[in-house]
Amino acid sequence: MFPSRFDLVVAQTVAEAVEAKVDAGEGGRFLAGGQSLIPMMKMRVAFPETLVDINRIAGLDAIERSNGHLQVGALVRHADVVVSDATFGAVAAAAPWVADPLVRNRGTMCGSVAHCDPEGDWNSVLLATGADVIAQGPSGERSISIANFVDGAFTSTLGEDELVVGLRIPVPSGRSGGSYLKLERKIGDYATVAVASHLELDDSGAIAAAGLALTSVNPINTKVADAEALLVGQQPSEELFAEAAELAAAAAEPRDDVRGTAAWKRQVVRTYTKRGLAAAAQQAKGS
Amino acid sequence: MEVNITINGSEHASDVEPRTLLVDHIRRTVGLTGTHVGCDTTSCGACTVLMDGTPVKACTVLAAQADGSEVTTVEGLKGADGLHPIQSAFTDDHGLQCGFCTPGMMLVGASLIAENTDPSDDEVRWAISGNLCRCTGYINIVKAIQTAAARVAESSNGS
């Protein structure tokens, strides 16, 4: 298989990339790792007329902590996230479970976020940790909170000519922990169910902030806001997490498919929420 | 468009269509058919090559994206002094049956032991988890990679 014909523009700067995208109009797409876009082009479900390759742009490959945030540049590969010392909690937990080792060597975290595949892992992690997406377009740079970014399956609120140049994930200042529990049929498959958990504890050991998001059980990655609200202010306990798990199971709208029945997936959501929150609390207590 | 890719140490300058995939470029333009096309959908890893030392699925990289890089295919494993340790270990430990996945398995194995000459079972299985084998059940592949690692460790201790 091979893609339909397209023009390739190899951009050297972000400004050049945005300009090339403006010139290309609606038929233009940005290319980073290409681990989702190239297969889609080969299967002819995507057929851009122009690809703007951003891989040669200098300065987009850093993953580092700065001003209380984990900053991830547009060319940071999943494999870079796996080995980074700057990560924490749910980000560190999810990285090794994205795709497979070879795909992680090429695919980028920002590309995956921008792609908005409802079965993608990263957007759940970003929803749980309250991250911002940094976009640059013809009129400059802006920051979009992840909750306002994910708009639908394969759809974001990114403007037509905007490029995701980075992510800003707030690093908790106090005790915190996170997890990403993913059930997959085999490595490299989409999640059957995955749950991202994030907890911050105050000095008394009570939950000061909570994040919980689900992958592959809704039409989009889904933040379980009522469970988060329930958790805040409470002392971590098995009973509390079981209650949150019921809210997560209620928020899930899984479907019967080759990966399993809806009822079973809902049960996995319940179990993984309990286990994920317990793991996050455990990590936070030890931090 | 003009691309210049160093494949197994030799430079190959060619005029390719932007849509040319790296695997097709290697097999058809350059004529090295040791790199296989299996699933052609980024799942099986039969098309694995090393791009600047890192294993990637060549069915999901444009030849144009490899412009200026150094690519190693299975044909590039053998050195002037004979087979690469990973190749002799796959032979000795019977790390293959039909051989279709073998080029990818050996390249991933070579890349792993370049960084870790004492990989555990889990580390080897994790490293090859993007490569599918439908014959062996993986047991002898894991064993072969560990044998190769041990031989590399031994020879570097001895020198």
Side-chain angles (χ1 to χ4, degrees):
Chain A
M1 294 189 291
F2 46 89
S4 54
R5 285 197 176 82
F6 57 86
D7 292 325
L8 182 70
V9 179
V10 181
Q12 303 296 332
T13 64
V14 170
E16 215 176 284
V18 170
E19 198 185 314
K21 178 69 177 66
V22 172
D23 291 347
E26 276 186 20
R29 288 286 294 264
F30 291 112
L31 173 71
Q35 301 299 288
S36 296
L37 182 55
I38 294 175
M40 287 171 73
M41 289 168 64
K42 288 167 69 177
M43 288 185 275
R44 309 290 172 109
V45 293
F47 23 84
E49 290 158 15
T50 305
L51 275 191
V52 180
D53 183 357
I54 66 164
N55 284 280
R56 313 269 168 176
I57 300 176
L60 293 181
D61 58 355
I63 172 164
E64 60 197 5
R65 289 196 185 189
S66 169
N67 299 326
H69 287 82
L70 174 65
Q71 313 239 32
V72 183
L75 290 177
V76 171
R77 317 279 161 178
H78 306 298
D80 301 327
V81 185
V82 174
V83 299
S84 169
D85 296 333
T87 58
F88 65 93
V91 180
W97 296 105
V98 175
D100 69 44
L102 307 188
V103 171
R104 287 198 293 274
N105 284 338
R106 284 298 292 168
T108 65
M109 185 171 176
C110 286
S112 170
V113 169
H115 188 52
C116 276
D117 186 329
E119 296 180 306
D121 299 300
W122 284 127
N123 283 348
S124 291
V125 173
L126 298 194
L127 283 166
T129 53
D132 289 327
V133 179
I134 314 299
Q136 191 162 327
S139 50
E141 194 176 282
R142 70 179 176 123
S143 169
I144 311 158
S145 82
I146 186 69
N148 292 328
F149 181 83
V150 181
D151 202 31
F154 303 99
T155 311
S156 72
T157 56
L158 203 60
E160 182 67 41
D161 298 319
E162 283 183 315
L163 170 68
V164 173
V165 291
L167 304 168
R168 288 180 84 235
I169 310 168
V171 179
S173 50
R175 290 191 293 166
S176 72
S179 65
Y180 190 70
L181 298 186
K182 178 177 180 178
L183 179 69
E184 54 185 4
R185 294 179 300 178
K186 60 171 277 294
I187 283 179
D189 190 19
Y190 289 110
T192 301
V193 175
V195 178
S197 309
H198 172 80
L199 291 177
E200 297 177 35
L201 303 182
D202 66 19
D203 292 340
S204 74
I207 296 168
L212 187 68
L214 313 177
T215 308
S216 286
V217 288
N218 293 88
I220 57 173
N221 300 75
T222 300
K223 187 175 168 70
V224 192
D226 52 359
E228 294 173 349
L230 167 83
L231 291 163
V232 173
Q234 310 280 328
Q235 287 290 334
S237 73
E238 233 174 87
E239 296 70 33
L240 177 68
F241 295 156
E243 218 179 312
E246 287 310 316
L247 294 174
E253 303 164 327
R255 293 209 287 204
D256 293 337
D257 64 15
V258 292
R259 294 186 176 88
T261 63
W264 173 68
K265 289 182 198 177
R266 196 184 298 279
Q267 180 56 28
V268 176
V269 169
R270 196 175 276 123
T271 303
Y272 275 21
T273 302
K274 276 190 272 192
R275 285 186 198 165
L277 288 170
Q282 188 74 26
Q283 193 183 71
K285 283 174 187 166
S287 68
Chain B
M1 63 185 298
E2 190 75 15
V3 295
N4 201 334
I5 307 174
T6 303
I7 301 176
N8 303 329
S10 328
E11 272 193 37
H12 293 269
S14 335
D15 188 30
V16 302
E17 270 195 86
R19 62 174 169 169
T20 308
L21 298 162
L22 179 59
V23 71
D24 292 329
H25 181 63
I26 291 168
R27 287 177 58 87
R28 296 180 190 175
T29 320
V30 183
L32 295 172
T33 54
T35 307
H36 294 162
V37 178
C39 69
D40 209 1
T41 53
T42 336
S43 297
C44 79
C47 64
T48 301
V49 300
L50 305 184
M51 204 167 132
D52 295 323
T54 303
V56 299
K57 294 180 174 176
C59 77
T60 313
V61 178
L62 301 174
Q65 290 182 289
D67 185 27
S69 64
E70 297 208 7
V71 168
T72 304
T73 69
V74 67
E75 291 92 341
L77 280 174
K78 189 180 169 202
D81 48 352
L83 292 181
H84 186 284
I86 198 87
Q87 293 174 305
S88 6
F90 267 71
T91 310
D92 297 344
D93 286 339
H94 201 69
L96 63 146
Q97 287 181 31
C98 86
F100 197 83
C101 72
T102 314
M105 289 291 182
M106 292 199 301
L107 286 161
V108 169
S111 154
L112 173 68
I113 65 179
E115 286 171 13
N116 180 356
T117 53
D118 187 22
S120 67
D121 235 56
D122 278 356
E123 285 171 328
V124 174
R125 286 177 182 276
W126 189 250
I128 62 170
S129 61
N131 297 72
L132 298 182
C133 172
R134 300 289 76 169
C135 305
T136 64
Y138 301 98
I139 304 254
N140 285 356
I141 293 175
V142 175
K143 196 172 154 196
I145 293 173
Q146 287 174 324
T147 298
R151 288 178 185 168
V152 168
E154 202 175 309
S155 71
S156 61
N157 285 343
S159 62

